[in-house]
């Protein structure tokens, strides 16, 4: 394609390019070319080329430059982004900047159908947040994690891709034939891979939409025969599954302590509990340890096998996990 180019001797090329950039007439969409001793610098407006450059403007074929590939290349700074399937999540308080980032994401080569910005914290019993849709229109996606796929709608259910490594750590401990109960299962990111390792999993969640996705995800990942999905309050399953669990997952970090009596009722004779908590950095594990010991009472011996900081949650606050073995006395 023919575009206007400033033609100058090669020795002056870089100095002239800088002057053109300063003047705002550099054409970034086309490539600079060299022919013999002359360099051809594409410009957007021949009339705006500074006269003191003493350079000719000619029409010349110029190849198009590759489009910038990443949002950072387009923006000139590294935005904070998170991927969830084909959704890109922006974390920006400033609305204008969020929109600028969304435009850059859509213009980049990042595979992306929808860009969302957080519009609220994670709220309520169902732990769901509200979103601003900045580009695209769908909040449902398929997210892949450690060989499993999860269909979910971020506007209807809880899901955090940041917990992938932690979930994998827990799942790797699971043996075939175990009876596992995921007390707060969401769309199944613990329950489904635990079933893939051969566990028989009971997975409960208060959020009916999450349980619908959980059922679908069990089918998608070929483990529907080993996952029993229950929509409702986990406290209501204690009778049916009393003393049934070899493993319990308690991923409700703000209020898991309120469900420890339920956990003890569900625990079998030898049961590992993965207990998630959010606590101050000064004593991140003490409150969980004490709450579990109090709930176990004289019924179980309590051995804390792992204490792990999962991630930083807020200034001076950690999201932690305690792996605790309960052995009936
Ligand atoms: N484990 C899932 C994950 O990693 O994505 C979901 C964890 S999310 C932090 C906690 C889940 O607990 C939510 O899906 C919420 O609906 C569910 N929940 C809250 N209270 C509950 C209750 N009383 N019984 C069962 N599920 C409950």
């Amino acid at each position: 394609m023919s575009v206007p180019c400033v033609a100058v001797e090669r020795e002056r090329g870089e100095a002239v390019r800088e002057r053109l950039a300063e003047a705002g007439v550099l054409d970034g969409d086309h490539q600079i070319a060299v022919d013999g001793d002359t360099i051809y610098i594409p410009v957007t407006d021949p009339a705006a080329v500074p006269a003191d450059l003493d350079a000719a403007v000619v029409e010349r074929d110029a190849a198009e430059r590759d489009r910038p590939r990443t949002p950072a290349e387009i923006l000139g700074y590294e935005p904070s982004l998170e991927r969830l399937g084909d959704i890109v999540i922006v974390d920006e308080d400033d609305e204008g900047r969020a929109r600028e980032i969304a435009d850059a994401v859509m213009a980049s080569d990042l595979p992306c159908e929808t860009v969302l910005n957080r519009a609220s914290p994670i709220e309520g019993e169902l732990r769901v947040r509200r979103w601003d849709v900045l580009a695209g229109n769908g909040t449902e996606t398929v997210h892949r994690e450690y060989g499993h796929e999860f269909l979910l709608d971020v506007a209807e259910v809880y899901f955090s891709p940041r917990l992938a490594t932690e979930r994998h750590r827990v799942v790797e401990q699971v043996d075939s034939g175990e009876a596992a109960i995921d007390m707060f299962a969401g769309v199944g990111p613990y329950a489904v891979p635990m079933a893939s390792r051969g566990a028989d999993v009971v997975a409960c969640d208060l959020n009916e939409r999450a349980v619908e996705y959980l059922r679908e995800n069990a089918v998608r990942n070929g483990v529907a025969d080993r996952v029993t999905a229950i929509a409702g309050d986990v406290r209501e399953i204690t009778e049916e599954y009393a003393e049934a669990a070899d493993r319990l997952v308690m991923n409700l970090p703000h209020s898991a302590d309120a469900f420890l009596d339920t956990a003890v009722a569900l625990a079998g004779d030898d049961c590992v509990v993965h207990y998630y908590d959010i606590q101050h950095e000064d004593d991140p594990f003490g409150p969980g340890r004490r709450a579990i010991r109090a709930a176990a009472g004289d019924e179980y011996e309590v051995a804390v096998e792992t204490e792990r900081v999962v991630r930083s949650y807020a200034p001076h606050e950690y999201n932690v996990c305690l792996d605790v073995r309960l052995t009936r006395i």
Side-chain angles (χ1 to χ4, degrees), residues 3-242:
V3 296
C5 294
V6 167
V8 289
E9 318 81 78
R10 282 175 73 165
E11 310 81 74
R12 287 212 296 144
E14 183 50 24
V16 170
R17 194 199 64 78
E18 278 176 20
R19 285 290 313 283
L20 293 169
E22 277 164 26
V25 287
L26 203 55
D27 172 0
D29 292 338
H30 293 92
Q31 288 180 18
I32 293 172
V34 178
D35 190 357
D37 287 338
T38 307
I39 189 163
Y40 295 90
I41 307 172
V43 290
T44 50
D45 180 4
V49 174
D52 66 313
L53 282 179
D54 192 23
V57 178
V58 298
E59 282 289 323
R60 195 186 148 88
D61 279 349
E64 282 190 26
R65 267 166 58 119
D66 286 345
R67 248 176 1 121
R69 300 184 69 80
T70 67
E73 280 170 326
I74 295 170
L75 290 164
Y77 59 85
E78 193 69 59
S80 161
L81 301 175
E82 206 170 345
R83 300 286 308 275
L84 185 61
D86 59 13
I87 295 175
V88 170
I89 297 171
V90 171
D91 188 9
E92 264 301 330
D93 292 336
D94 182 296
E95 220 176 286
R97 193 166 147 117
R99 205 149 282 285
E100 173 181 88
I101 295 171
D103 289 346
V105 168
M106 293 308 280
S108 75
D109 288 350
L110 219 56
C112 168
E113 290 297 321
T114 300
V115 184
L116 303 177
N117 193 16
R118 294 173 172 86
S120 78
I122 290 176
E123 297 170 323
E125 266 189 317
L126 304 188
R127 313 305 297 144
V128 179
R129 75 162 92 235
R130 281 173 286 121
W131 301 95
D132 284 333
V133 180
L134 299 173
N137 53 18
T139 48
E140 187 179 75
T141 192
V142 176
H143 184 70
R144 287 177 181 75
E145 186 171 294
Y146 285 99
H148 292 89
E149 60 177 52
F150 299 96
L151 178 70
L152 62 114
D153 187 330
V154 280
E156 295 194 88
V157 302
Y158 174 93
F159 191 89
S160 172
R162 291 183 197 173
L163 297 177
T165 310
E166 168 59 17
R167 289 193 272 258
H168 187 61
R169 182 190 74 84
V170 167
V171 168
E172 280 198 305
Q173 299 174 37
V174 173
D175 290 323
S176 183
E178 276 188 8
I181 300 182
D182 188 349
M183 294 170 63
F184 313 103
V187 301
Y190 287 91
V192 167
M194 288 198 296
S196 286
R197 283 184 68 96
D200 288 311
V201 184
V202 173
C204 181
D205 202 288
L206 202 52
N207 182 343
E208 286 183 13
R209 285 294 288 144
V211 175
E212 284 170 23
Y213 280 116
L214 168 57
R215 289 199 177 105
E216 159 73 22
N217 290 330
V219 173
R220 274 176 175 258
N221 292 282
V223 292
D225 55 334
R226 283 200 295 281
V227 176
T228 304
I230 301 172
D233 189 321
V234 69
R235 286 172 285 216
E236 287 164 12
I237 72 165
T238 40
E239 215 168 289
E240 192 173 353
Y241 293 99

Side-chain angles (χ1 to χ4, degrees), residues 70 76 85 93 104 112 135 148 153 179 227 264 267 273 276 282 289 298 317:
T70 67
D93 292 336
C112 168
H148 292 89
D153 187 330
V227 176
V264 170
V273 183
Y276 290 91
D282 287 349
R289 236 184 277 133
D298 299 334
E317 279 193 298

